[in-house]
Amino acid sequence: FPSHDTVADYLENSTGHRIRHPGWIKKVKVAFNKLNSKQQEFVLKSLGYEKLTKNLVERKKVFAKLVLGRALGFDVIMRVIDEAKE
């Protein structure tokens, strides 16, 4: 961490960088996979993907790309998944 004294300083001061922890990536993917197809479509649309996807494999690929993108965090993704369940 070149210009930061501690890891906490680095995490608090780094702008635009979101940490991608393998544990939470797995958790959001499992939660997404438990949804039915309409709920999965709702999640994808809510996270910014506009095209309709007909098959499960395509929906999983699109979701994986959205999760690995640095624009969304764990809390946002899980909130959308919880909304889809309701």
Side-chain angles (χ1 to χ4, degrees):
F1 308 109
S3 63
H4 305 285
D5 295 329
T6 65
V7 174
D9 291 336
Y10 173 77
L11 292 175
E12 288 177 5
N13 295 325
S14 50
T15 57
H17 295 89
R18 293 189 183 268
I19 304 301
R20 291 289 174 257
H21 190 276
W24 78 253
I25 290 173
K26 183 177 180 179
K27 185 172 182 171
V28 296
K29 285 183 178 181
V30 167
F32 181 78
N33 291 337
K34 289 181 180 179
L35 301 175
N36 65 35
S37 61
K38 282 189 176 187
Q39 292 170 327
Q40 288 178 349
E41 284 290 336
F42 173 81
V43 169
L44 293 178
K45 283 185 180 183
S46 297
L47 296 178
Y49 188 77
E50 296 298 325
K51 295 181 184 177
L52 287 176
T53 53
K54 295 286 183 187
N55 70 36
L56 178 63
V57 174
E58 184 65 26
R59 284 193 297 272
K60 286 182 178 182
K61 284 181 184 178
V62 169
F63 184 73
K65 287 180 184 178
L66 290 172
V67 169
L68 292 177
R70 304 241 180 220
L72 304 168
F74 175 78
D75 52 342
V76 173
I77 296 170
M78 285 305 293
R79 184 170 21 90
V80 172
I81 288 174
D82 289 339
E83 288 174 7
K85 291 178 184 177
E86 297 173 355

